[in-house]
Amino acid sequence: MTDFTDHIEQSATVSATDCGRRLDQIAAELFSDYSRSRLQLWIKSGELTVDGQQQPPKFKLLGGEKLAVSAHLKPEGDWQAEDIPLTIVFEDEHIIIINKPTNFVVHPAAGNREGTLLNALLFHCPQLESVPRAGIVHRLDKDTTGLMVVAKTLAAHTDLVAQLQARTVSREYEAVVSGVMTGGGVVDQPIGRHPKQRVKMAVVRDGKEARTHYKVVKRFDGHTHIRLKLETGRTHQIRVHMASIKYPIVGDDTYGGRFRIHKGVSDQLRETLQQLGRQALHARALGLVHPASGEYVSWETELPEDMQDLLTALKEG
């Protein structure tokens, strides 16, 4: 894998055993650091050539030809860099591991063009303007805290997207839910857009496959501290799945229904629950195959202060 540059120069020779195969198919194998769609664009723009000549994607190769990429990476969006502090757990020339705080939107959208993680990343690492979504390959909700990986190069981005699709990225979360669980289990229910409230997700029959594993860490009076592991990565997956089995995440106004505090709680616990102001969900651990070294690497982070305070208040009743 090459280090980042805004100009890519690579070449490879077509094997004689590939005689009769299409240019776009061979290019996808010889330049596997890059996505098929990007290679198609380079072929059509003439930035990926055959023996110095531009050819169509379906051009049949004979073997022995030299394929060469000479491509300039262009900005992927019109987003603005902003000097917003980031908590960086790890960084090298290929990836960044970030511990995201609460109340931090990951990606600009209508009504949130500024002040997002993407804006902060562009300031920290300006070359990310040429990587799709500034290197963001997965998201955490605005008020979910914890670990995220960001790709710093186009090649790392392609690799991490493939890992997420192949489900080789390990993501573990901790949460506090309403209700006392008897034990752990798996929620295996498809998730899609809510049929009536389009801004919400829901368990729906024709949704995308979604699977969440959970186990009990500690039970309290009226609540349970749990650890979760994602097999898939659907929007709001943990929040939707936990609500679907009647153990909604504490503080989740969207999926948890009306805020309720059971009788007999201490003033401290009542105050802590009322002041939480977000879903008690934290991405605690992240593991993946490093895009450059091929080694499995992992990181863990402590629970944020607000969730630690909640667990302390729950222990004290």
Side-chain angles (χ1 to χ4, degrees):
M1 181 177 296
T2 55
D3 292 341
F4 179 86
T5 173
D6 61 358
H7 186 253
I8 292 171
E9 292 280 354
Q10 287 189 17
S11 63
T13 301
V14 179
S15 168
T17 59
D18 287 322
C19 178
R21 296 182 65 200
R22 289 168 33 168
L23 168 59
D24 54 358
Q25 294 172 332
I26 301 300
E29 295 174 8
L30 294 179
F31 305 112
S32 59
D33 278 351
Y34 308 105
S35 68
R36 287 175 179 269
S37 59
R38 186 170 293 272
L39 290 168
Q40 287 271 5
L41 288 174
W42 287 344
I43 291 169
K44 291 174 182 176
S45 67
E47 292 172 290
L48 195 164
T49 58
V50 181
D51 290 332
Q53 301 295 315
Q54 182 174 356
Q55 300 290 358
K58 294 182 181 180
F59 180 75
K60 296 289 179 66
L61 298 170
L62 299 175
E65 297 95 336
K66 180 183 177 183
L67 303 191
V69 175
S70 179
H72 284 280
L73 298 180
K74 302 175 181 67
E76 291 279 338
D78 60 352
W79 307 298
Q80 299 300 311
E82 293 182 65
D83 186 3
I84 301 169
L86 293 168
T87 302
I88 295 173
V89 176
F90 171 85
E91 181 175 10
D92 62 14
E93 62 266 42
H94 307 283
I95 60 174
I96 310 172
I97 305 298
I98 289 166
N99 188 6
K100 188 185 90 65
T102 188
N103 194 30
F104 199 15
V105 173
V106 168
H107 193 279
N112 278 309
R113 293 291 297 169
E114 301 173 346
T116 72
L117 174 63
L118 185 146
N119 301 115
L121 285 167
L122 288 175
F123 183 88
H124 171 74
C125 190
Q127 69 260 34
L128 285 174
E129 72 171 5
S130 299
V131 183
R133 296 185 180 274
I136 294 168
V137 292
H138 66 120
R139 301 191 193 187
L140 294 176
D141 297 337
K142 174 186 175 184
D143 289 325
T144 297
T145 55
L147 297 175
M148 289 180 60
V149 61
V150 175
K152 289 180 70 174
T153 67
L154 197 54
H157 184 275
T158 303
D159 186 279
L160 290 171
V161 167
Q163 286 194 54
L164 285 161
Q165 291 172 344
R167 301 179 187 175
T168 56
V169 176
S170 172
R171 289 170 289 171
E172 293 188 10
Y173 293 72
E174 288 196 25
V176 179
V177 298
S178 296
V180 183
M181 286 184 167
T182 55
V186 182
V187 183
D188 187 355
Q189 294 289 341
I191 289 176
R193 285 285 165 195
H194 193 288
K196 295 180 180 177
Q197 298 169 275
R198 302 303 290 174
V199 296
K200 292 175 65 173
M201 307 302 286
V203 169
V204 290
R205 185 179 300 175
D206 59 348
K208 293 181 179 179
E209 176 191 18
R211 196 171 297 108
T212 306
H213 299 258
Y214 63 94
K215 63 181 181 181
V216 172
V217 177
K218 190 172 179 62
R219 297 178 187 86
F220 302 98
D221 184 15
H223 297 87
T224 310
H225 177 196
I226 61 173
R227 191 162 288 167
L228 307 107
K229 191 163 187 176
L230 290 182
E231 241 185 87
T232 53
R234 307 303 174 204
T235 302
H236 301 173
Q237 178 173 321
I238 289 174
R239 298 164 64 191
V240 170
H241 271 172
M242 290 300 102
S244 75
I245 60 171
K246 311 303 182 189
Y247 292 104
I249 307 288
V250 167
D252 189 346
D253 294 338
T254 303
Y255 298 105
R258 189 171 60 86
F259 180 68
R260 296 185 301 275
I261 297 178
H262 65 282
K263 294 179 180 179
V265 303
S266 67
D267 290 342
Q268 182 190 353
L269 177 54
R270 180 184 298 274
E271 185 177 341
T272 303
L273 287 166
Q274 289 173 334
Q275 290 181 350
L276 184 63
R278 71 170 182 107
Q279 63 267 10
L281 180 60
H282 176 71
R284 183 187 68 89
L286 177 67
L288 51 90
V289 177
H290 192 283
S293 71
E295 295 178 4
Y296 184 80
V297 285
S298 61
W299 299 267
E300 289 193 24
T301 182
E302 295 290 322
L303 283 175
E305 190 175 347
D306 60 353
M307 283 185 65
Q308 291 189 35
D309 290 345
L310 175 59
L311 290 172
T312 298
L314 285 168
K315 288 173 189 172
E316 296 172 356

